Amino acid sequence: LANEFAVTVGDFTRILTDETNRSVYDSDRRDMIYKGKVSFSNTDFTFGTSTSDEDIKITTPWGDDAGTDKEQGFFVEGKSYLTSSMQASVTARLTDSYDFGSNTSYRAALVYALDGGITLRGLASSGFRAPSLYERYADFGGNTNLKPEESETQEIGVEKVYKSGSSVRMTIFNTNVDNLIEYDMGTFSYTQATNSRKSQGVEFEGKWLAYDRISFDGSYAYVDAKTGTEVAARVPKHDLSLSISANISPKINSNLEINHIMDYKDTVSGSLVDMPDYTVTNLAVSYDMPNNLTGYVRIQDLMDTDYETVKDFNTGGRQIFAGIRATF
């Protein structure tokens, strides 16, 4: 029996100011999770529980607000080889929300390995997401009448792995989301879609090990997403990504990622508007140091590209993050 226990504590403060107003958003969050794993013959069982407890306080010139969110989950997964080439897994999760009651979600998957490095996959799952405290109590557009989102997803796919380690994969997917939560730029508030969001499409992925120290990863997704009968906002129809990973030396690793988005729309005052295509480049470099330390630098939007994912709200330009991770 293997056991894992994790605790995460977060304290987040955001201050928004202009010439006349000042708003403060304070959030304290505590997460705990226990996960156990045990094996019997050719079957693995994973089980556990998780709790999340968050408090927020919002102070604005026009009034104060506060909220609390508590959620507890119980989960179990069974994974077994039905034959030497077929593996099945089933997962169930019970989520008990302080404000939104209980919900049970599931995931079932089947993997079948053929000769020649070919694998077939099938998956069906459901999802549940309660509105966040910010969506419910935000000073700009919070909506306390929001209900949880619920979803259903089905996928089928095929993958080919070559002897060199390179691979290609194709996945066809279909997702349906009820009670989708969105931010309406017309009313400047969080709203709930009255129609279901349906997304279907195909994704291609590939990995090429060009040399011992250099690999190329690429993906392309075509998504046909609609809310009711109308084209869905903020879902790109074409999403193309390419990354290059290189081990510059035994201690230095790097990754360069380029993401290109096409045919993207947003909603303004209830009407769809076309958004410009854009390309974002990210770079990450890490260095293995003595005593199990790793230093890293990550640059988001390396080329300092001006682009928008929400109409008239420019995304932050070049951002640089640096730090040290310790493993013990």
Side-chain angles (χ1 to χ4, degrees), residues 200-216:
Q200 53 189 3
V202 59
E203 183 176 22
F204 299 92
E205 300 172 88
K207 183 182 185 68
W208 176 38
L209 299 179
Y211 303 98
D212 291 341
R213 295 185 176 184
I214 300 177
S215 65
F216 295 84

Side-chain angles (χ1 to χ4, degrees), residues 97-241:
S97 174
Y98 182 76
D99 288 328
F100 300 100
S102 299
N103 176 274
T104 301
S105 56
Y106 72 91
R107 179 183 184 275
L110 188 67
V111 180
Y112 185 54
L114 303 175
D115 294 335
I118 298 176
T119 302
L120 305 179
R121 305 174 188 272
L123 176 146
S125 65
S126 66
F128 168 87
R129 187 183 78 86
S132 70
L133 286 179
Y134 189 80
E135 291 168 338
R136 295 162 62 188
Y137 296 102
D139 48 335
F140 289 102
N143 184 351
T144 57
N145 295 319
L146 294 173
K147 297 182 291 185
E149 294 179 343
E150 297 185 9
S151 64
E152 297 278 347
T153 297
Q154 302 83 36
E155 294 181 4
I156 57 173
V158 58
E159 181 181 21
K160 165 70 175 179
V161 178
Y162 296 91
K163 294 181 179 180
S164 63
S166 301
S167 63
V168 292
R169 176 188 293 191
M170 181 187 74
T171 303
I172 300 173
F173 60 87
N174 178 71
T175 299
N176 186 79
V177 182
D178 292 323
N179 300 324
L180 180 71
I181 299 172
E182 299 177 294
Y183 192 82
D184 189 331
M185 295 303 301
T187 61
F188 295 103
S189 65
Y190 285 99
T191 61
Q192 202 128 38
T194 56
N195 296 312
S196 297
R197 163 73 61 83
K198 297 182 178 180
S199 303
Q200 53 189 3
V202 59
E203 183 176 22
F204 299 92
E205 300 172 88
K207 183 182 185 68
W208 176 38
L209 299 179
Y211 303 98
D212 291 341
R213 295 185 176 184
I214 300 177
S215 65
F216 295 84
D217 292 86
S219 67
Y220 165 74
Y222 170 82
V223 182
D224 179 20
K226 293 183 178 180
T227 303
T229 59
E230 190 176 66
V231 174
R234 302 182 188 173
V235 181
K237 181 167 286 187
H238 305 279
D239 187 341
L240 179 64
S241 179

Side-chain angles (χ1 to χ4, degrees), residues 21-317:
N21 297 317
R22 183 177 189 269
S23 300
V24 180
Y25 174 91
D26 280 316
S27 170
D28 295 308
R29 180 168 180 140
R30 298 156 296 281
D31 294 289
M32 293 187 294
I33 182 171
Y34 163 74
K35 184 167 60 176
K37 184 176 181 180
V38 64
S39 298
F40 299 100
S41 184
N42 61 343
T43 303
D44 295 332
F45 288 98
T46 302
F47 54 91
T49 182
S50 63
T51 61
S52 175
D53 190 352
E54 182 179 11
D55 300 298
I56 66 166
K57 182 179 180 181
I58 300 175
T59 305
T60 69
W62 45 88
D64 299 341
D65 211 340
T68 298
D69 181 55
K70 296 181 180 180
E71 191 174 279
Q72 185 167 17
F74 303 90
F75 55 88
V76 61
E77 179 188 55
K79 185 182 297 183
S80 178
Y81 278 97
L82 304 180
T83 68
S84 59
S85 57
M86 182 182 296
Q87 186 183 47
S89 65
V90 178
T91 306
R93 178 183 176 89
L94 173 64
T95 302
D96 188 12
S97 174
Y98 182 76
D99 288 328
F100 300 100
S102 299
N103 176 274
T104 301
S105 56
Y106 72 91
R107 179 183 184 275
L110 188 67
V111 180
Y112 185 54
L114 303 175
D115 294 335
I118 298 176
T119 302
L120 305 179
R121 305 174 188 272
L123 176 146
S125 65
S126 66
F128 168 87
R129 187 183 78 86
S132 70
L133 286 179
Y134 189 80
E135 291 168 338
R136 295 162 62 188
Y137 296 102
D139 48 335
F140 289 102
N143 184 351
T144 57
N145 295 319
L146 294 173
K147 297 182 291 185
E149 294 179 343
E150 297 185 9
S151 64
E152 297 278 347
T153 297
Q154 302 83 36
E155 294 181 4
I156 57 173
V158 58
E159 181 181 21
K160 165 70 175 179
V161 178
Y162 296 91
K163 294 181 179 180
S164 63
S166 301
S167 63
V168 292
R169 176 188 293 191
M170 181 187 74
T171 303
I172 300 173
F173 60 87
N174 178 71
T175 299
N176 186 79
V177 182
D178 292 323
N179 300 324
L180 180 71
I181 299 172
E182 299 177 294
Y183 192 82
D184 189 331
M185 295 303 301
T187 61
F188 295 103
S189 65
Y190 285 99
T191 61
Q192 202 128 38
T194 56
N195 296 312
S196 297
R197 163 73 61 83
K198 297 182 178 180
S199 303
Q200 53 189 3
V202 59
E203 183 176 22
F204 299 92
E205 300 172 88
K207 183 182 185 68
W208 176 38
L209 299 179
Y211 303 98
D212 291 341
R213 295 185 176 184
I214 300 177
S215 65
F216 295 84
D217 292 86
S219 67
Y220 165 74
Y222 170 82
V223 182
D224 179 20
K226 293 183 178 180
T227 303
T229 59
E230 190 176 66
V231 174
R234 302 182 188 173
V235 181
K237 181 167 286 187
H238 305 279
D239 187 341
L240 179 64
S241 179
L242 175 67
S243 66
I244 304 172
S245 299
N247 298 331
I248 300 174
S249 75
K251 292 186 177 182
I252 302 177
N253 301 295
S254 64
N255 178 265
L256 178 69
E257 182 184 64
I258 303 172
N259 186 213
H260 184 60
I261 298 296
M262 297 178 289
D263 202 351
Y264 183 86
K265 299 179 184 295
D266 197 8
T267 303
V268 178
S269 299
S271 300
L272 288 171
V273 295
D274 292 326
M275 302 286 286
D277 300 343
Y278 63 87
T279 303
V280 179
T281 304
N282 302 317
L283 175 65
V285 179
S286 64
Y287 176 72
D288 293 334
M289 305 165 62
N291 301 318
N292 296 322
L293 299 177
T294 301
Y296 66 89
V297 175
R298 187 176 77 253
I299 305 176
Q300 293 183 189
D301 194 3
L302 177 67
M303 308 307 294
D304 199 21
T305 303
D306 288 326
Y307 68 99
E308 296 176 358
T309 60
V310 177
K311 179 65 176 176
D312 296 329
F313 281 79
N314 194 44
T315 303

